[in-house]
Amino acid sequence: MNKRDRHEGLGSGGFHNETLVIHSDDEVSNDGTVAPAIYYSATFRAQNAAEFADMAKTPHHPRYYTRYGNPVHERVEKVMAELEGTETALVTGSGMGAISTTLLALVSAGDHVIAQTRHYMSTAKIMDELLPRFGVEVTLVEQADVTAFADAIRPNTKLIMVESPANPTLVVTDIAAVAELARPRGIIVVADNTFASPINQRPHDLGADVVVHSATKYLGGHHDLIGGVICTSHELAERIWRTHISIGSVLSPMDAWLLLRGLRTLPIRVERINANALALAEFLEAQPQIERVYYPGLASHPQHELAKRQMRGFGAVIAFAIKGGYEATERFVSALKLPYNAVSLGGVDSLVVHTAAMWRGVMTEEQMRIAGIPPNFVRFSVGLEHIDDLKADVLQALQAI
Ligand SMILES: *Cc1c(COP(=O)(O)O)cnc(C)c1O
């Protein structure tokens, strides 16, 4: 498999993503069923003592003890490695499980980490509080500025964490440029690809060493499970797995099975979600009640050219600001009938959040302003409802404010 082929959407054996998500796991525990079996077993029997000894010393064995691996995990891992173009993958019990396990596996006291000023909130907490507690220094940089990453590099820089596009204003990081800074210095680049999905962006092709996901979002795709995935080389995966079995962020076999079911339709879901979201973003931009729309697929996004270069589609999440302030924004969100007022993103149902309402009580208005969250800010994760119905719903809610 070469990278050029992958950019045409082709993976192992020359197959497209739509085929890879159905067949990459064909050879795992092939017991003649068409739908995969759920291996609801905490532990697995060896045929004899020699086999047991072998299982016990094989890293990431899929049939030894479910914290170490499980046949349903193995299926998900095969599919995800194909989609991200990495040698292998490791599933975890949540997206945060994937991120914290990766970071704790790869950095030690005395190391330096570079991360972005904007990250998923719990990732930001790892950078602000957890890593410093263990003697790891962290520098946060403005992600839109590649020279800020370059200037932050020190002799002890071990890892750079990127996340693109990032909440809440969908700022984009030039992943290839960051990877180019890191590679000659032996710095590991970890990319949180949750907001893009592997259908829209492949950070490993752009030079990232480790790609992490919250599988809770597009990969599962139905708002029914919490899970995570780490996609990387055999070498790094084994190092991360050794920490994983100590931390114990394990995906249940049932949730792994639901995740596998979700992955079977990932390419077609993301394709339709991309189309719906772009159409809705353009529609919003044309409405007089809207102050500004943030979506990397719009020509008005300050990094639209970069987004087009590193993404094949722009995803579900649109952010926008409503004219009229906090109360008007509350009225708008309450007047919407189709999207549920709930956190998360990338699933079949549209979800909407009034960001300032979510953070009120947790952050002061001043802190929100610094974080780029004005009081009239809305985050909309576009689902698979018909685009005409979504537009009509948004229009009636705008007229209600
Ligand atoms: C949701 C999310 C996470 C955390 O994932 P969980 O599955 O909720 O633990 C991490 N990063 C990003 C970008 C997310 O959207």
Side-chain angles (χ1 to χ4, degrees), residues 94-97 99 120 123 163 192 194-195 214 216-217 226-227 345:
S94 69
M96 287 321 302
I99 293 165
Y120 183 76
T123 305
E163 180 178 331
D192 183 337
T194 302
F195 258 58
S214 167
T216 314
K217 316 296 167 54
I226 299 281
L345 64 111

Side-chain angles (χ1 to χ4, degrees), residues 340-376:
Y340 302 124
N341 194 173
V343 294
S344 202
L345 64 111
V348 295
D349 328 72
S350 290
L351 303 179
V352 68
V353 165
H354 179 194
T355 311
M358 179 163 75
W359 295 125
R360 231 183 198 186
V362 182
M363 279 192 218
T364 64
E365 294 234 335
E366 177 61 11
Q367 284 173 323
M368 285 197 252
R369 204 184 48 72
I370 293 168
I373 309 168
N376 57 343

Side-chain angles (χ1 to χ4, degrees), residues 144-325:
D145 180 5
V146 175
T147 59
F149 285 93
D151 292 347
I153 293 174
R154 301 183 196 166
N156 61 336
T157 303
K158 185 66 162 285
L159 184 146
I160 303 178
M161 175 93 197
V162 295
E163 180 178 331
S164 180
N167 243 344
T169 46
L170 302 163
V171 180
V172 175
T173 309
D174 188 337
I175 299 170
V178 172
E180 223 158 275
L181 291 171
R183 195 177 309 111
R185 297 172 173 87
I187 299 169
I188 297 169
V189 175
V190 177
D192 183 337
N193 201 29
T194 302
F195 258 58
S197 91
I199 307 305
N200 285 335
Q201 176 170 276
R202 301 221 320 167
H204 181 66
D205 289 352
L206 299 166
D209 303 287
V210 185
V211 181
V212 291
H213 277 282
S214 167
T216 314
K217 316 296 167 54
Y218 296 94
L219 307 180
H222 296 73
H223 302 306
D224 53 7
L225 66 92
I226 299 281
V229 190
I230 303 160
C231 301
T232 187
S233 63
H234 289 301
E235 189 221 325
L236 287 177
E238 189 175 325
R239 274 169 65 187
I240 295 167
W241 175 84
R242 291 189 187 284
T243 297
H244 167 72
I245 57 171
S246 296
I247 291 182
S249 173
V250 178
L251 190 63
S252 89
M254 181 70 212
D255 286 356
W257 189 90
L258 286 168
L259 174 52
L260 187 62
R261 163 168 284 210
L263 284 171
R264 304 296 194 209
T265 55
L266 179 73
I268 57 169
R269 281 189 287 109
V270 171
E271 191 180 312
R272 176 62 71 88
I273 282 174
N274 286 340
N276 273 0
L278 183 59
L280 195 67
E282 286 169 347
F283 179 77
L284 282 163
E285 212 167 36
Q287 302 309 311
Q289 300 93 335
I290 300 291
E291 190 178 285
R292 184 165 169 198
V293 182
Y294 305 77
Y295 187 67
L298 292 175
S300 60
H301 188 284
Q303 298 166 293
H304 180 56
E305 289 308 313
L306 169 61
K308 274 200 300 195
R309 207 161 61 234
Q310 71 183 14
M311 301 179 79
R312 283 179 287 175
F314 306 101
V317 178
I318 306 171
F320 51 97
I322 308 252
K323 286 182 189 161

